Amino acid sequence: MIQKPKGTADLLPEEIKIWHYIEETARIILGDYQFEEMRTPMFESYELFSRGVGDTSDIVSKEMYDFYDKGDRHITLRPEGTAAIVRAYVENKLFGPEHKKPYKVYYMAPMFRYERPQSGRLRQFHQLGVEVFGSTNPATDVETIAMAWDLLKELGLSNMRLVINSLGKTADRIAYRQALIDYLEPFTEELSEDSKNRLHKNPLRVLDSKDKRDIEIVKNAPRILEFLSDEARTHFEKVQQYLTALEIPFEIDETMVRGLDYYQDTIFEIMTDSKSFGAKTTICGGGRYDGLVQELDGPETPGFGFGLGMERLVLLMKDEQVEIPDLQELDAYIVGLGEETEEEVLKLSISLRQQGYSVDRDFFGRKAKPQFKNAQKYGAKVVITLGEEELASRQVPLKVMNTGKEVKVDLADVYEDFDSLFRQATMDTTAIDEYFGK
């Protein structure tokens, strides 16, 4: 039997309801903050990520799905969203004066990384991300973090911690990089193989190692905050001040560096210790990347953004037993009795849908009782019954399921203005009686 590839998942209709709820809620919240959606190709040039994300990052060095196409072009499936958005920003000249500043976009898209599948971590996963271009104001950092916080709160989550740090400016990182190398070199033989390889290429990545020996070694390593310039320190202090003003609780973790090489100044993660993951897990993370647009051949442009893992978010919402509203309600169920009603039931179903209502019906010639059971099971608000008698009289009974109230209405009125009938019928029983003059 052919099965799905390892590290992928089928999202079945029962599961997709929570995805739709997240996506719809996100679009509302992001729209309130004046973000607009952008969509980029699922595959890009390998160079985009090797330059943008960094050759020494785990993503590029270990996890990318890359190949040469029939034109001998080095291609990779998109492993993260920011570099692709920046490429589109530069290529389409979205930095021009005719575009709003800051320029704010979001995306919801599949990403691909070859890594060991586990709870909340797949080889094809989905990410919700945002990017803001054009502002160095620390208020931009905080407003974007606040938006992520608002979204997670709106989705009903409470088991969250916000952790922040600063990586300083380029010069700060260069000075810190050398200090870190000086500290780590005496421990070279004790480091994991990955950290040995990173020691002189990108020593900050050693701080992010999950190896137990590495974790012990870096406990006493110098801290990046000790190397911040006055400008970077002021920026970070403003971020803390604004978060406090918004009453968003946060912690500072001086060892946090994030997994991508383009970050500088503010970085953050929103974490959870939900039992769904078995360990402390990041569900949302991001930061400032003021040099990335230039690195990808664009003009000097500051940037700030975050990515949020959708699969992890779904698991967390299940763990916290968040109630998911039914976004696909059934307005009307049409009970058809007898083969001679088939054409009219078909016409009526299509008409009500064209009037903007969700409609279901029976296709198996069942008797009235099992059809009404299905209408109740599926949560239909009203039921219209159409049998031989109704077909002849051109009048049909309309039953409101939550009250049991039933009235007869002209079939022509259902076709011409079901909206009025439906609104009046589902208000209350008094309104029904008044409307139909009973």
Side-chain angles (χ1 to χ4, degrees):
M1 183 177 65
I2 298 175
Q3 296 182 324
K4 63 184 180 293
K6 184 178 181 179
T8 63
D10 296 317
L11 298 178
L12 304 179
E14 297 78 11
E15 177 84 359
I16 209 72
K17 290 179 180 178
I18 189 170
W19 287 72
H20 285 168
Y21 176 58
I22 292 170
E23 291 164 1
E24 291 301 314
T25 303
R27 286 192 165 92
I28 292 170
I29 298 291
L30 299 180
D32 289 344
Y33 280 80
Q34 292 295 291
F35 281 73
E36 296 182 286
E37 186 175 8
M38 180 185 286
R39 301 185 185 185
T40 61
M42 194 175 292
F43 58 91
E44 297 265 8
S45 163
Y46 177 90
E47 185 185 11
L48 171 64
F49 298 102
S50 65
R51 285 174 58 187
V53 177
D55 282 324
T56 60
S57 65
D58 282 354
I59 291 176
V60 175
S61 63
K62 297 179 179 180
E63 298 169 358
M64 286 208 303
Y65 281 90
D66 63 294
F67 57 93
Y68 286 87
D69 68 7
K70 294 180 179 179
D72 202 34
R73 291 171 287 257
H74 199 177
I75 299 296
T76 183
L77 298 182
R78 179 181 53 205
E80 63 95 43
T82 298
I85 296 291
V86 173
R87 192 268 311 148
Y89 177 80
V90 173
E91 185 173 343
N92 293 283
K93 296 181 172 57
L94 301 176
F95 46 79
E98 67 275 22
H99 296 287
K100 186 178 179 180
K101 302 293 188 298
Y103 190 82
K104 302 194 286 189
V105 295
Y106 72 89
Y107 57 88
M108 287 187 269
M111 309 290 166
F112 306 85
R113 296 184 193 176
Y114 190 84
E115 54 186 348
R116 184 170 63 86
Q118 53 188 290
S119 179
R121 187 187 296 272
L122 298 174
R123 290 177 175 173
Q124 177 181 315
F125 60 99
H126 297 77
Q127 197 171 73
L128 185 163
V130 309
E131 315 295 348
V132 184
F133 298 103
S135 170
T136 59
N137 192 330
T140 296
D141 306 17
V142 174
E143 183 172 282
T144 309
I145 294 171
M147 182 172 67
W149 193 259
D150 285 351
L151 173 58
L152 295 172
K153 288 288 188 182
E154 184 65 26
L155 290 171
L157 299 177
S158 57
N159 184 9
M160 301 183 298
R161 293 168 45 237
L162 170 62
V163 181
I164 64 173
N165 194 21
S166 174
L167 297 179
K169 306 296 182 184
T170 302
D172 307 339
R173 290 184 65 170
I174 291 173
Y176 178 60
R177 181 183 185 279
Q178 188 56 53
L180 199 54
I181 291 173
D182 294 341
Y183 170 81
L184 291 172
E185 278 182 335
F187 299 98
T188 300
E189 295 307 313
E190 301 173 47
L191 293 171
S192 65
E193 286 304 312
D194 280 346
S195 291
K196 287 178 184 177
N197 294 331
R198 292 167 175 162
L199 177 54
H200 292 94
K201 293 179 180 178
N202 191 349
L204 270 71
R205 299 291 293 116
V206 178
L207 298 177
D208 205 32
S209 172
K210 302 300 185 288
D211 183 272
K212 291 181 180 179
R213 293 171 300 171
D214 295 345
I215 292 172
E216 284 300 314
I217 290 170
V218 302
K219 277 184 177 179
N220 297 315
R223 299 298 189 228
I224 183 67
L225 296 185
E226 300 168 9
F227 292 79
L228 296 186
S229 63
D230 290 342
E231 182 183 3
R233 183 173 291 104
T234 299
H235 187 103
F236 193 47
E237 288 171 353
K238 286 288 186 183
V239 168
Q240 297 172 65
Q241 175 188 331
Y242 297 158
L243 285 171
T244 302
L246 293 177
E247 299 183 351
I248 298 176
F250 64 90
E251 306 165 23
I252 297 174
D253 181 355
E254 296 183 53
T255 65
M256 183 173 68
V257 296
R258 302 286 297 145
L260 306 172
D261 291 354
Y262 49 62
Y263 286 122
Q264 66 174 47
D265 276 319
T266 311
I267 57 172
F268 78 96
E269 293 185 1
I270 298 177
M271 313 182 79
T272 178
D273 55 6
S274 166
K275 62 184 180 182
S276 300
F277 307 109
K280 183 172 63 176
T281 302
T282 299
I283 56 171
C284 177
R288 181 162 286 280
Y289 49 86
D290 289 353
L292 184 57
V293 175
Q294 298 95 296
E295 178 65 31
L296 297 178
D297 304 319
E300 184 175 341
T301 306
F304 191 94
F306 68 73
L308 190 157
M310 300 280 280
E311 280 82 0
R312 293 182 181 186
L313 181 54
V314 169
L315 285 173
L316 185 57
M317 292 176 69
K318 288 180 177 178
D319 181 50
E320 295 199 19
Q321 299 181 338
V322 173
E323 185 176 347
I324 307 301
D326 189 353
L327 300 179
Q328 193 174 359
E329 295 180 328
L330 180 59
D331 295 319
Y333 191 97
I334 300 175
V335 171
L337 303 174
E339 187 176 346
E340 64 275 12
T341 68
E342 185 70 29
E343 181 178 315
E344 196 71 41
V345 169
L346 178 62
K347 287 168 57 181
L348 189 57
S349 300
I350 299 299
S351 174
L352 297 190
R353 290 170 185 143
Q354 290 174 343
Q355 293 181 60
Y357 289 86
S358 59
V359 179
D360 205 355
R361 49 155 296 184
D362 180 71
F363 286 92
F364 302 102
R366 295 185 178 99
K367 295 186 181 298
K369 187 174 181 180
Q371 290 194 54
F372 268 93
K373 280 188 175 181
N374 276 344
Q376 188 171 31
K377 178 181 177 181
Y378 303 149
K381 295 177 182 176
V382 301
V383 172
I384 298 171
T385 303
L386 188 61
E388 186 177 351
E389 181 182 330
E390 288 79 19
L391 202 58
S393 67
R394 308 304 287 176
Q395 284 195 320
V396 293
L398 186 152
K399 182 175 182 178
V400 181
M401 294 298 284
N402 67 342
T403 64
K405 183 72 175 183
E406 183 174 292
V407 293
K408 279 208 169 186
V409 298
D410 289 339
L411 191 56
D413 290 341
V414 180
Y415 276 108
E416 291 172 12
D417 190 12
F418 183 66
D419 189 56
S420 295
L421 296 176
F422 183 82
R423 284 189 291 107
Q424 292 291 336
T426 55
M427 285 170 61
D428 55 53
T429 54
T430 304
I432 295 173
D433 290 341
E434 291 176 353
Y435 183 76
F436 293 106
K438 300 290 175 102

